[in-house]
Amino acid sequence: MAAPLSKDEALVQFLLRMGDNTLILGHRVSEWCGHSPVLEEDIALANTALDLIGQTQMWLGLAADVQGEGKSADDLAFLRDVWEFRNLLLVEVPNEDFGRTLMRQFLFDAWHSIQLGHLMTSSDERIAAIAAKTSKEVAYHLERSADTVVGLGDGTPESHGFMQAALDYLWPYVGEMFVSDEIDAAMVEAGIAPDPASLRADYDTLVGRILADATLSIPESQFAHKGGRTGAMHTEHLGHLLTQMQWLQRAYPGASW
Amino acid sequence: MSQVATQPSVDQIWEWLDAVPDPEIPVISLVDLGIIRGVEWQGDTLVVAVTPTYSGCPATAIINLDIETALRDHGLDRIRLETQISPPWTTDWMSEKGRAKLEDYGIAPPQAAGGPERCPNCQSKNVTRVSQFGSTPCKAHWRCQDCLEPFDYFKCI
């Protein structure tokens, strides 16, 4: 990077990271609508997706305000291409099966709840307000995803097998949550957000406890896929997701209702 | 410009807003739900602060439209709605009147314990959770083990 980012530029990047996580995961979870194993789970997933997309409006809305280019949350959601997204790779991987979807949700919810807990005391009042609002919803998501992970992990041999396979597949995507860069350093310095690396101990305690209850084994490898939250490299899946999510704006530019 | 000769009092406006039903649970009003956080005159403009229930609640846009329509019907034309997310909405702000109406309608009102106190149909305390989520973001799905009726429970947040 040629010149160091200004404080507002760094703040926008931080807000995109928050909002892109909830947007992309919200979209992924919404893909289950009408396809879940049972009606109650369908409703639960749709409600979770709805919460996440509502949270996105606040994060991306604030990002657009700070940017000051007259854009809206919708502009940021629908008019950017892959390389401009700043979400964790974890949230863009395909749903695959119900087990993997719930495992991904749990691994994200655990981080999300810890992160929002810190953001509630952010020096930026707008961020603290969004965190206070959304942390209530996220506590509910975590309760459900953790219960489901335990129920399926410590369930039948078949459900256990699905959950262990999901954990093995997803675990390499967890490390990215805790990799700090210069944007995080700027947020820490301004008292806006915690250092991602500092959340790891709480995360490992929480996730370790639930996965132990679920009789699942955490993979030993420390390898971490990275590049989503910095925008350096997304998986091939995000482009496909955007062709669905942004279809209307791509086919009919500027369409509104 | 205003069609109203004198500005209606803030109390009067609260009364009008208490007659605007929640679009998804029409037995309770927006005031009962606790989402109207402030009503005040700023010069000749009425400012109403509204807080969302859940971040993604699709009723939010309709609620704002209903508030504006109701106030215009009462002759107000300078209205500004402000979204206030802090402090975040809590079901503690629901009125006693609202809680009673919910139960009467067949929706168990929120309880700090995290589950319904009793079946809203037969008052049995023998109830069980079907799903943590329900027909709207603010509700969960429960069932009575005695009368066997399923019912909505208004989540406590």
Side-chain angles (χ1 to χ4, degrees), chain B residues 13-95:
Chain B
I13 289 155
W14 275 104
E15 214 171 284
W16 288 340
L17 292 174
D18 196 24
V20 182
D22 175 84
E24 282 177 339
I25 312 169
V27 289
I28 60 170
S29 78
L30 300 181
V31 173
D32 285 331
L33 194 56
I35 60 171
I36 310 286
R37 303 314 302 158
V39 174
E40 66 166 351
W41 286 102
Q42 288 181 8
D44 61 355
T45 302
L46 181 75
V47 181
V48 180
V50 186
T51 197
T53 52
Y54 283 79
S55 301
C57 183
T60 306
I62 304 297
I63 286 171
N64 285 349
L65 189 68
D66 287 351
I67 292 171
E68 213 171 319
T69 306
L71 295 176
R72 286 191 192 286
D73 286 350
H74 284 289
L76 303 185
D77 57 4
R78 287 177 178 269
I79 304 158
R80 192 169 78 240
L81 297 187
E82 284 181 351
T83 302
Q84 183 182 309
I85 62 165
S86 179
W89 177 75
T90 159
T91 41
D92 293 349
W93 292 343
M94 190 179 284
S95 70

Side-chain angles (χ1 to χ4, degrees), chain A residues 24 28 31 88-96 100 104 169-170 173 235 237 241:
Chain A
I24 300 301
R28 274 287 182 233
E31 291 171 357
L88 296 165
L89 298 177
L90 174 74
V91 299
E92 69 195 44
V93 297
N95 292 333
E96 191 70 18
R100 190 192 283 180
R104 183 188 59 200
Y169 179 84
L170 294 170
Y173 292 96
T235 67
H237 308 297
L241 182 152

Side-chain angles (χ1 to χ4, degrees), chain A residues 40-119:
Chain A
E40 287 77 9
E41 293 305 331
D42 204 288
I43 291 170
L45 286 167
N47 269 280
T48 303
L50 195 60
D51 282 345
L52 291 168
I53 289 166
Q55 296 172 9
T56 303
Q57 286 180 330
M58 292 192 270
W59 291 121
L60 294 188
L62 182 54
D65 281 352
V66 175
Q67 237 175 6
E69 296 170 12
K71 288 181 186 162
S72 67
D74 278 354
D75 292 336
L76 292 178
F78 296 120
L79 304 180
R80 285 181 299 153
D81 212 335
V82 173
W83 51 85
E84 295 168 287
F85 276 79
R86 295 293 179 266
N87 56 280
L88 296 165
L89 298 177
L90 174 74
V91 299
E92 69 195 44
V93 297
N95 292 333
E96 191 70 18
D97 53 59
F98 184 73
R100 190 192 283 180
T101 299
L102 264 297
M103 179 60 78
R104 183 188 59 200
Q105 190 69 37
F106 167 66
L107 294 173
F108 179 77
D109 289 343
W111 170 82
H112 203 195
S113 68
I114 294 168
Q115 167 83 341
L116 291 172
H118 286 273
L119 294 182

